[in-house]
Amino acid sequence: MHASQAETERVQGLRQAYRDQIRDIRPDDLVFLDEAGVNLMMARLYARALPGHRATGERPYKKGRNVTLVGAMSLNGMVAALTFEGGLNGDVFKYFVEQMLVPNLWVGACVVMDNLSSHGVEGV
């Protein structure tokens, strides 16, 4: 068995275990949480043009601000959201959970998130 095949089987086993773990949770009770970051000066470095024409344009040369969005949503829509300048760290994530997410949860809600290190801070 190749290492990649063994890894594929391992991941498939983990996925099945996860499906088994959440099988009895009502879809309406699932709340998915994720984050994204963007630089406000992001611009394309490449472009397309019609054959025989040159693509032209301008892009900012100054460094822009980094903005992070953290959000949680369910089948019924947004549960909580936060945008702020800078990157996500444990303190900001804990603030989001305590002050914005938890007050909007209901009995039976199940929050699903990835394993970003900020998500593992004590108290979360």
Side-chain angles (χ1 to χ4, degrees):
M1 181 181 307
H2 296 295
S4 61
Q5 184 177 357
E7 178 65 10
T8 299
E9 290 177 8
R10 183 186 76 81
V11 170
Q12 287 174 343
L14 290 171
R15 287 179 179 161
Q16 185 59 50
Y18 175 73
R19 285 190 292 270
D20 293 343
Q21 188 176 7
I22 68 167
R23 177 174 304 159
D24 296 329
I25 299 172
R26 294 176 348 115
D28 287 347
D29 286 336
L30 290 171
V31 178
F32 293 93
L33 183 150
D34 209 355
E35 61 286 318
V38 66
N39 183 287
L40 295 180
M41 291 296 192
M42 286 178 65
R44 293 181 179 267
L45 300 178
Y46 303 96
R48 296 176 188 237
L50 295 172
H53 293 83
R54 179 178 286 266
T56 61
E58 295 181 16
R59 67 182 180 97
Y61 288 97
K62 293 183 179 179
K63 183 171 171 44
R65 299 178 314 194
N66 291 325
V67 175
T68 298
L69 163 69
V70 182
M73 63 186 299
S74 71
L75 286 176
N76 296 318
M78 291 301 294
V79 176
L82 173 68
T83 59
F84 58 94
E85 285 189 32
L88 183 65
N89 62 35
D91 292 335
V92 175
F93 185 69
K94 187 173 178 181
Y95 168 83
F96 170 76
V97 169
E98 291 176 349
Q99 302 299 317
M100 305 182 94
L101 178 61
V102 170
N104 291 307
L105 295 178
W106 54 93
V107 173
C110 177
V111 179
V112 179
M113 65 183 101
D114 58 19
N115 61 352
L116 182 69
S117 60
S118 299
H119 297 172
V121 296
E122 189 173 332
V124 172

